[in-house]
Amino acid sequence: MEELRTVYKNNKSIERMNYLISNKIDEILSNSRQKKYLEGIIYMGRDFSQIDSSKPEVELMFIYNDDKFESVELTKIEIMEILSQTGMKISILSKPDWYFSLEGRFQDRGEHPWEFILRQGTIIYDKTGKIKELQTDLQNDLTLDYYTQFFSSDSCKFDPPIQYIPKQYQKRKPLNSRNRVASAS
């Protein structure tokens, strides 16, 4: 299995990305119905800067255990906020966990990077450990090595890494000057 290259980002951009992603995940987990069906979240970095001037991108894949899961979407405002505050793009995918089981995995092989994202991506939320099991299973499937070459050239890891930080662990500080409250003198 091929190791992904590392793209170094400044701490402030990644810290901001972590905050924005974490808030979206917390929003989803606060919905008891969504929380019930969400198994995990994995991310893959994309960086096309070696070929053009595109912004780096974070692909988040939400993996769920039932067809009642509502696809996660970002509003245009959220997408623009992430781009302006981090200098990075973001996209979101949703896939059912059965898609990655041995029986389900051969239907789109070679056409889409979903198996590759789960195989080589970074898990940021795993409710029961099932996502890690699926990832290990895909990493042990040597038939996927052939397809890796089609998706690995622009794939990357970010350093520092993207993380999900639950609200109770986030730092309590103003994010920018617009959020600060002026103190009365």
Side-chain angles (χ1 to χ4, degrees):
M1 191 170 68
E2 187 174 312
E3 183 68 27
L4 297 179
R5 69 187 166 90
T6 300
V7 172
Y8 297 93
K9 297 295 293 173
N10 70 49
N11 288 340
K12 187 175 180 179
S13 290
I14 295 296
E15 183 178 305
R16 191 66 185 141
M17 179 66 81
N18 289 341
Y19 176 80
L20 295 166
I21 287 173
S22 295
N23 282 345
K24 189 65 173 180
I25 294 170
D26 284 338
E27 177 186 318
I28 293 159
L29 293 176
S30 69
N31 177 328
S32 60
R33 180 181 149 103
Q34 289 290 78
K35 183 177 183 176
K36 178 180 176 181
Y37 300 123
L38 181 62
E39 278 297 326
I41 304 165
I42 195 160
Y43 97 88
M44 171 73 68
R46 299 275 187 212
D47 181 30
F48 302 94
S49 63
Q50 294 178 339
I51 18 178
D52 62 29
S53 60
S54 297
K55 304 279 186 211
E57 182 173 348
V58 173
E59 289 184 333
L60 286 178
M61 184 178 344
F62 289 76
I63 302 171
Y64 53 93
N65 60 23
D66 193 286
D67 63 356
K68 295 177 180 144
F69 183 79
E70 299 165 20
S71 290
V72 176
E73 296 180 7
L74 294 173
T75 64
K76 287 184 180 185
I77 293 170
E78 289 172 318
I79 291 168
M80 292 309 297
E81 179 182 15
I82 289 169
L83 181 60
S84 69
Q85 293 183 25
T86 68
M88 299 168 72
K89 295 180 180 179
I90 189 165
S91 64
I92 293 184
L93 309 162
S94 297
K95 293 303 281 178
D97 59 359
W98 59 260
Y99 179 87
F100 300 103
S101 67
L102 187 57
E103 301 80 32
R105 90 168 54 134
F106 295 99
Q107 49 196 349
D108 291 328
R109 179 158 284 175
E111 295 176 28
H112 302 288
W114 300 315
E115 291 170 327
F116 178 75
I117 293 170
L118 181 54
R119 185 182 200 211
Q120 307 241 162
T122 301
I123 298 170
I124 60 174
Y125 175 79
D126 192 352
K127 180 168 66 178
T128 63
K130 186 174 190 175
I131 303 307
K132 183 63 182 163
E133 288 176 23
L134 288 171
Q135 186 177 58
T136 301
D137 186 42
L138 287 169
Q139 289 170 345
N140 292 328
D141 184 348
L142 300 180
T143 64
L144 290 172
D145 287 349
Y146 171 76
Y147 297 100
T148 298
Q149 64 183 323
F150 300 112
F151 303 113
S152 63
S153 63
D154 60 359
S155 300
C156 65
K157 294 180 183 179
F158 294 115
D159 186 14
I162 303 291
Q163 307 174 59
Y164 163 56
I165 304 165
K167 188 168 270 212
Q168 68 264 27
Y169 299 111
Q170 291 180 18
K171 295 177 186 176
R172 305 282 185 224
K173 66 178 183 177
L175 299 172
N176 61 36
S177 58
R178 290 181 295 184
N179 293 343
R180 294 186 184 137
V181 177
S183 59
S185 308

